[in-house]
């Protein structure tokens, strides 16, 4: 009986063993089948070999300056620019491995030990996902399913993809891909954007505490957001956990850990949005340029589709120099608050009941505001997008709403307030607006472009889009035409007496008799002295000698695009032209009569570095080298003794207008400078265009509406509104000797036959000179 019992027990045990192995093998086969089905796509699409080689990620197009700096990016959702493993600092990689996957170099995509630990402890002992699995999730699945079965199938797919990734790529490539794919929040997609946005530097320059903070954000970038008013304390705690992990695995010493954990986050938050950062107006111009380039059928991908600047990772190499662009923006930001403060001081309700407008009656102001309302973006959206009736739209313009408005004096240049949209329109019309462009005359390369003072609040670009009356900056076209046709010399003299061009002589319907500033006449002046002091009667005499049409022909050969009416009054600057056109035209004088069309883009590459576009220079001979040089010598008189002489002297420090708005004075330039100021009727527009042999820079300042302007020419002339920006900018450029901005004389032609050095010129100037702040120019 006992033997039978033992035999039965042995049989039962054998049966159990067989069942165990059957179940075990069935489980193994089931798991294998599960993985096989997943790899075949039974649980959802799986990436094939081709997709693994080229994962579908949106890459921002990068705008690169001539000195190799990133000016900005074009992207719709993902502000991502990939970096190679070689561009990642050692401590950044070590921080990632220590925190996310300590056995990274010991597995082939799946960490069996970590997975077993996670199963046994039900996920309480830490996650089991390797860096390769997290990359697989980021690349192909995102957040995934929220139900248990969905999570299991997703995890299986991640395992398969992770193994495939390990076969396809090196460990270093997987690390760089993971850093490049992760969203660090605040438009910081990928490590390069994160390093630039949070610390204002490239990844390779990250320090240990910065690397640890960014790696800490991998846990949850929304939760561990270092920005003020978000979670800086939690982010610091998470950073310190990363540092502890690095010390645990021997990447840093305990002393290093303790020292760095005491450091603050040291953020240098620099948001990268389309409305913020450097060269915003230029970048928006470039967006239009790139749209046209992408729409051109000659520029297509190999598969025939159009390039997308927001997702195809193009590299756009521009002529803008990031240093010069920064100097230009700083010059604007330094001068304009002082100029605006004085303008506001002169336009208080007590001093000017119709502020900021002058010379307008109530009905005229109402009409101006109503026109502005109907041209506004708010009107367009309500009228055409929301299909609102006019009455409802008009009512909405008079209802107070919460808004952020621009202010020079506020922190961040913004104030949160409540006002009606109509009041905000009038408020914005009180601002004086700047624009500026700087260009190399020999190449046409545009080095700096400032279309306004704040793109977020003033989006109309006044470099190329905006066209305004140019005042006396047009006069050199008249002088150049006279030199070209009549072989005149700067030393030739003309009488400074009242002068008229009779009715109908050049299509003028009435007799044209321009007046000098202050009604002052008498004696004779050399052409150099006349242009330097912007004497209207002598410009009118030259216009009478050559006629309006040849002057227009000259201007258009110099790159002026606008149609100009052939009447004598154009001599004093009645046409509306852009800063872009004027700088290009003046550059021809500095370039010995050769016009170069402005160049902003030198080449475009795809994400792999293949050149898709390379610019071809557009040049043409417009003037003889002699005519160009003589015109330049005339323009030198402006800064030697005329309306631009404040660039050189230093004796006016105590003159009120200098102390109030001539920002940066004294400039005390001693090198040759050719240039011209311009001031339009009622001081609505102030211009200065200045040239040295290898750089031409134009500046315009004025309000949106011509009715908003300074009351007196002392403050409203180009030498007060625009010239200080030029002076500040050029001082910064000269301080940076790496830029190699010339201080030399303009090159003299070898066959010069026109006299430019007048022996009696200095004696005449000493006799006739009128200090520039006492007799500013006027153009009408």
């Amino acid at each position: 009986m006992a033997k039978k019992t033992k035999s039965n027990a042995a049989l039962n045990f054998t049966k159990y063993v067989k069942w165990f192995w059957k179940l075990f093998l069935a489980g193994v086969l089931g798991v294998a089948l599960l993985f096989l089905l997943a790899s075949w796509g039974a649980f959802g699409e799986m990436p094939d070999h081709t997709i693994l080689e080229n994962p579908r990620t949106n890459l921002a197009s990068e705008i690169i300056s001539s000195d190799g700096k990133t000016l900005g990016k074009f992207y719709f959702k993902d502000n991502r620019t990939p970096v190679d493993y070689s561009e990642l600092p050692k401590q950044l990689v070590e921080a990632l491995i220590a925190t996310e996957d300590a056995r990274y170099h010991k597995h082939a995509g799946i960490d069996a030990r970590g997975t077993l630990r996670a199963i046994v402890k039900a996920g309480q002992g830490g996650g089991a996902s390797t860096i390769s699995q997290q990359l697989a999730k980021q690349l192909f699945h995102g957040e995934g399913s929220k139900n248990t079965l969905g999570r299991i199938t997703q995890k299986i797919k991640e395992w398969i993809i992770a193994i495939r990734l390990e076969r396809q790529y090196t460990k270093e490539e997987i690390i760089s891909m993971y850093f490049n794919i992760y969203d660090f929040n605040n438009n910081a997609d990928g490590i390069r954007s994160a390093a630039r946005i949070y610390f204002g530097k490239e990844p390779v320059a990250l320090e240990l505490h910065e690397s640890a903070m960014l790696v800490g954000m991998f846990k949850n970038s929304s939760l561990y957001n270092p920005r003020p008013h978000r979670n800086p304390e939690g982010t610091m705690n998470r950073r310190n956990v990363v540092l502890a992990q690095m010390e645990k695995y021997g990447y840093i010493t305990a002393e290093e850990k303790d020292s760095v954990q005491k450091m603050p986050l040291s953020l240098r938050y620099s948001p990268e949005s389309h409305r913020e950062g450097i060269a915003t107006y230029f970048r928006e111009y470039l967006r239009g340029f790139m749209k046209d380039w992408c729409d051109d059928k000659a520029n297509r991908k190999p598969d025939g589709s159009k390039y997308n600047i927001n997702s195809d990772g193009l590299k756009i190499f521009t002529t803008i120099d990031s240093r010069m662009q920064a100097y230009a923006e700083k010059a604007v930001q330094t001068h304009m608050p002082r100029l605006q403060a004085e303008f506001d001081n002169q336009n208080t309700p007590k001093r000017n009941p119709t502020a900021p407008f002058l010379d307008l009656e109530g009905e005229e102001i109402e009409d101006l505001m109503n026109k502005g309302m109907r041209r506004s973006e708010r009107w367009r959206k309500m009228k055409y997008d929301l299909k609102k009736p006019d009455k409802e739209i008009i009512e909405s313009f008079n209802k107070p709403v919460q808004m952020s408005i621009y202010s020079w004096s506020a922190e961040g240049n913004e104030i949160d307030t409540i006002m009606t949209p109509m009041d905000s329109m009038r408020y914005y019309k009180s601002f004086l607006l700047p624009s500026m462009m700087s260009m190399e005359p020999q190449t046409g390369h545009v080095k700096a472009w400032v279309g306004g003072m704040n793109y977020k609040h003033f989006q109309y670009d006044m470099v190329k889009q905006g066209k305004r009356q140019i005042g006396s900056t047009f006069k050199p076209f008249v002088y150049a035409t006279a030199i070209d046709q009549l072989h005149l010399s700067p030393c030739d003299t003309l009488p400074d007496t009242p002068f008229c061009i009779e009715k109908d002589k050049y299509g003028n319907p009435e007799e044209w008799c321009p007046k000098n500033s202050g009604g002052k006449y008498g004696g004779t002046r050399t052409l150099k002295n006349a242009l330097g002091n912007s004497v209207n009667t002598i410009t009118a005499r030259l216009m009478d000698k050559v006629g309006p049409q040849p002057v227009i022909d000259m201007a258009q050969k110099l790159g002026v695009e606008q149609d100009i009416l052939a009447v004598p009054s154009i001599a004093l600057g009645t046409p509306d032209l852009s800063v872009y056109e004027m700088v290009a035209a003046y550059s021809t004088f500095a370039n010995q009569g050769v016009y170069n069309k402005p160049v902003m883009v030198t080449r475009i590459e795809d994400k792999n570095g293949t050149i898709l576009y390379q610019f071809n220079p557009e040049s043409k001979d417009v003037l003889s080298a002699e005519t160009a040089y003589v015109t330049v010598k005339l323009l030198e008189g402006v800064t030697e003794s005329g309306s631009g002489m404040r660039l050189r002297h230093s004796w006016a420090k105590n003159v009120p207008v200098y102390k109030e708005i001539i920002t940066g004075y004294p400039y005390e330039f001693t090198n040759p400078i050719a240039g011209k100021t311009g001031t339009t009727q009622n001081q609505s527009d102030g211009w200065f265009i200045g040239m040295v042999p290898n750089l031409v820079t134009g500046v315009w300042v004025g309000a949106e509406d011509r009715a908003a302007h300074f009351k007196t020419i002392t403050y409203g002339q180009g030498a007060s509104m625009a010239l200080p920006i030029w002076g500040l900018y050029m001082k910064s450029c000269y301080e940076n000797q790496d830029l190699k901005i010339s201080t030399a004389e303009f090159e003299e032609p070898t066959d010069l036959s026109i006299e430019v050095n007048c022996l009696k010129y200095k004696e005449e100037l000493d006799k006739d000179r009128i200090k520039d702040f006492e007799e500013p120019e006027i153009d009408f």
Side-chain angles (χ1 to χ4, degrees), residues 18 37 55 68-69 102-103 148 155 219-220 313 346 349 440 526 534 547 575 609 625 683 725:
K18 287 181 178 178
L37 289 171
K69 304 297 183 182
R103 286 180 290 278
T148 303
K155 186 61 68 175
K219 187 173 180 69
N220 186 330
Q346 295 184 21
E440 284 181 354
T526 64
S534 210
Q683 302 80 242
I725 294 175

Side-chain angles (χ1 to χ4, degrees), residues 79 191 252 382 407 422 457 562 574 598 667 712 762 777:
N79 177 22
I191 190 63
I252 59 175
M382 295 187 72
S407 171
M422 188 65 80
H457 291 274
Q562 191 80 3
T574 56
Y667 311 102
T712 66
K762 186 176 184 304
E777 65 172 275

Side-chain angles (χ1 to χ4, degrees), residues 280-281 329 332-333 336-337 340 406 408 413 428 431-435 450-458 460:
T280 47
Y281 290 90
E329 293 183 8
V332 166
Q333 292 160 5
M336 290 306 298
Q340 186 68 48
Y406 185 79
W408 276 118
N413 298 131
Y428 276 107
F431 278 94
L432 296 173
L433 309 175
S435 70
V450 183
M453 57 194 179
N454 183 286
Y455 183 75
K456 182 177 179 180
H457 291 274
F458 304 90
Y460 194 70

Side-chain angles (χ1 to χ4, degrees), residues 21-82:
W21 284 110
K22 284 180 181 179
L23 290 171
F24 178 77
L25 289 172
V28 170
L29 290 173
V31 170
L33 180 62
L34 201 62
F35 274 79
L36 192 60
L37 289 171
S39 67
W40 289 341
F43 304 136
E45 185 180 3
M46 292 287 285
D48 60 17
H49 175 80
T50 305
I51 293 175
L52 284 173
E53 272 197 347
N54 298 283
R56 289 189 290 265
T57 56
N58 292 330
L59 301 179
S61 291
E62 188 175 7
I63 306 164
I64 302 171
S65 68
S66 62
D67 55 320
K69 304 297 183 182
T70 298
L71 296 175
K73 300 174 187 176
F74 294 129
Y75 60 91
F76 176 67
K77 182 180 178 183
D78 298 331
N79 177 22
R80 181 177 292 105
T81 304

Side-chain angles (χ1 to χ4, degrees), residues 21-241:
W21 284 110
K22 284 180 181 179
L23 290 171
F24 178 77
L25 289 172
V28 170
L29 290 173
V31 170
L33 180 62
L34 201 62
F35 274 79
L36 192 60
L37 289 171
S39 67
W40 289 341
F43 304 136
E45 185 180 3
M46 292 287 285
D48 60 17
H49 175 80
T50 305
I51 293 175
L52 284 173
E53 272 197 347
N54 298 283
R56 289 189 290 265
T57 56
N58 292 330
L59 301 179
S61 291
E62 188 175 7
I63 306 164
I64 302 171
S65 68
S66 62
D67 55 320
K69 304 297 183 182
T70 298
L71 296 175
K73 300 174 187 176
F74 294 129
Y75 60 91
F76 176 67
K77 182 180 178 183
D78 298 331
N79 177 22
R80 181 177 292 105
T81 304
V83 297
D84 293 332
Y85 182 82
S86 60
E87 299 174 72
L88 301 174
K90 181 183 176 185
Q91 73 269 12
L92 180 69
V93 175
E94 291 173 345
L96 178 69
I97 293 173
T99 309
E100 300 289 330
D101 191 353
R103 286 180 290 278
Y104 177 67
H105 289 290
K106 297 177 181 179
H107 63 69
I110 299 175
D111 182 2
R113 191 193 307 178
T115 302
L116 185 61
R117 182 195 68 229
I119 292 172
V120 170
K121 295 187 177 183
Q124 299 301 310
S129 289
T130 64
I131 290 173
S132 303
Q133 287 175 258
Q134 292 179 55
L135 175 61
K137 179 180 179 180
Q138 291 283 334
L139 281 173
F140 302 108
H141 295 293
E143 290 304 314
S145 176
K146 292 185 178 180
N147 63 66
T148 303
L149 181 62
R151 286 198 297 270
I152 291 172
T153 56
Q154 177 179 303
K155 186 61 68 175
I156 291 170
K157 290 161 72 175
E158 286 175 15
W159 282 343
I160 295 169
I161 296 170
I163 293 169
R164 290 181 178 179
L165 286 170
E166 291 269 354
R167 292 174 180 172
Q168 191 84 25
Y169 297 99
T170 66
K171 289 285 188 179
E172 290 76 16
E173 288 172 330
I174 289 172
I175 289 278
S176 62
M177 289 171 70
Y178 187 43
F179 272 115
N180 286 326
I181 197 66
Y182 191 74
D183 179 0
F184 290 87
N185 224 307
N186 299 308
N187 288 329
D189 299 293
I191 190 63
R192 183 158 188 252
S193 293
R196 287 171 54 84
I197 287 173
Y198 291 119
F199 298 109
K201 58 177 67 174
E202 295 297 324
V204 71
L206 289 170
E207 298 178 25
L208 176 58
H209 69 287
E210 297 165 338
S211 297
M213 190 206 87
L214 292 174
V215 167
M217 294 178 73
F218 275 107
K219 187 173 180 69
N220 186 330
S221 60
S222 295
L223 176 62
Y224 298 110
N225 189 328
R227 291 181 61 190
H229 313 301
R230 297 298 175 88
N231 190 13
E233 184 178 349
T235 305
M236 181 178 289
N237 292 336
R238 179 61 186 165
R239 180 201 69 179
N240 291 344
V241 169

Side-chain angles (χ1 to χ4, degrees), residues 230-291:
R230 297 298 175 88
N231 190 13
E233 184 178 349
T235 305
M236 181 178 289
N237 292 336
R238 179 61 186 165
R239 180 201 69 179
N240 291 344
V241 169
V242 173
L243 292 167
Q245 288 293 103
M246 293 182 74
E247 187 262 337
K248 175 181 176 181
Y249 290 105
Y251 292 115
I252 59 175
T253 65
E255 291 76 12
E256 286 178 304
K257 180 203 73 171
D258 293 340
S259 174
V260 177
Q261 283 183 339
K262 295 174 183 176
M263 296 177 65
L265 291 178
S266 304
L267 284 190
R268 286 183 57 200
Y269 184 65
S270 308
E272 287 188 354
S273 72
H274 304 306
R275 294 184 173 188
E276 296 170 300
I278 194 171
T280 47
Y281 290 90
F282 173 76
R283 285 191 271 136
E284 200 55 31
Y285 158 78
L286 193 60
R287 185 189 300 278
F289 175 93
M290 290 303 300
K291 181 182 182 301

